[in-house]
Amino acid sequence: MKFENILVSDKSYNSTDLYDIVYSNITVVNLLREEGVPYDVIHPDSLISYFIDYYLAQNNNGGFSQFVYNSNWNSDLNSKIKLGLENIGATEHLKYFKIQEQVVESLSQKELKSFLESEYFGENEVRDKLKNDTFFDCTEDLIELNGKWLKTNPNLKVLSIDDMFKEIESYIGREIDR
């Protein structure tokens, strides 16, 4: 049985800071995962928002090379991020992702494997090949686009914190230690 809704708190939904709704979704996904709910049961749009935020955080912190390294260049994750960027209307970011994807795919399997198994910091030729700061030239605000997309998502369910816990507990069939 799949989780049919994206759950967010009423406080985050009513906030003027769009990151609040993105963060509310993140905390629900994290809670579901902590409670043993597999990714494939969580609402796909909830995961898309979650993974877009992960992608943004990785790029802001260390660039695309850090995203590749920390995500272990996962094709399923990459597909979800590309779909998410398309769904939220982040065309510049999607174009950037696809360009960087081609750079990664131009690496030999040996180069990529070696990079993923190496130390990230220090001298690292592959990391330097993946460096591309044009991510910061994109004029689209991923937080704004992600937050607005969540707010208008037809599968969004806005609840109080208590009701969110009740909904999750009902779904997993047991109480959650709060």
Side-chain angles (χ1 to χ4, degrees):
M1 184 167 98
K2 283 204 177 270
F3 213 80
E4 295 181 15
N5 295 298
I6 302 166
L7 298 182
V8 296
S9 72
D10 52 358
K11 185 177 178 183
S12 73
Y13 182 82
N14 294 319
S15 173
T16 58
D17 183 348
L18 286 168
Y19 190 70
D20 288 343
I21 193 169
V22 172
Y23 186 71
S24 183
N25 177 64
I26 291 167
T27 58
V28 170
V29 171
N30 284 338
L31 177 61
L32 291 170
R33 295 292 297 138
E34 288 167 11
E35 295 300 322
V37 176
Y39 278 126
D40 63 349
V41 174
I42 299 170
H43 194 282
D45 288 349
S46 186
L47 289 176
I48 281 172
S49 174
Y50 181 86
F51 292 138
I52 286 173
D53 185 73
Y54 172 76
Y55 170 72
L56 174 63
Q58 292 297 308
N59 272 281
N60 281 338
N61 189 30
F64 196 82
S65 63
Q66 180 175 304
F67 167 73
V68 171
Y69 187 85
N70 287 342
S71 71
N72 207 33
W73 193 243
N74 180 297
S75 61
D76 186 48
L77 174 64
N78 296 344
S79 295
K80 284 179 174 61
I81 290 170
K82 286 187 293 188
L83 176 63
L85 293 171
E86 184 178 322
N87 288 351
I88 69 171
T91 56
E92 290 177 42
H93 283 282
L94 181 58
K95 181 179 176 185
Y96 170 84
F97 189 97
K98 288 179 177 180
I99 289 168
Q100 288 302 102
E101 183 178 46
Q102 289 176 346
V103 174
V104 175
E105 290 174 359
S106 75
L107 300 171
S108 71
Q109 287 294 330
K110 183 179 177 184
E111 281 179 302
L112 181 59
K113 185 177 190 277
S114 176
F115 171 64
L116 296 175
E117 293 173 353
S118 71
E119 289 295 321
Y120 181 76
F121 296 103
E123 215 171 290
N124 192 320
E125 194 174 305
V126 174
R127 180 200 62 217
D128 296 342
K129 280 185 187 179
L130 297 174
K131 185 177 172 138
N132 180 345
D133 290 338
T134 62
F135 175 85
F136 300 104
D137 295 338
C138 294
T139 60
E140 302 159 331
D141 183 333
L142 286 180
I143 293 171
E144 180 181 337
L145 291 171
N146 194 355
K148 285 180 178 178
W149 179 73
L150 279 175
K151 279 193 171 193
T152 60
N153 193 295
N155 298 299
L156 186 69
K157 191 168 187 178
V158 180
L159 299 169
S160 69
I161 298 288
D162 273 347
D163 287 343
M164 287 171 68
F165 273 104
K166 288 176 189 170
E167 178 111 359
I168 293 168
E169 288 169 340
S170 170
Y171 179 81
I172 63 173
R174 62 182 161 71
E175 282 189 25
I176 296 171
D177 186 19
R178 299 183 200 188

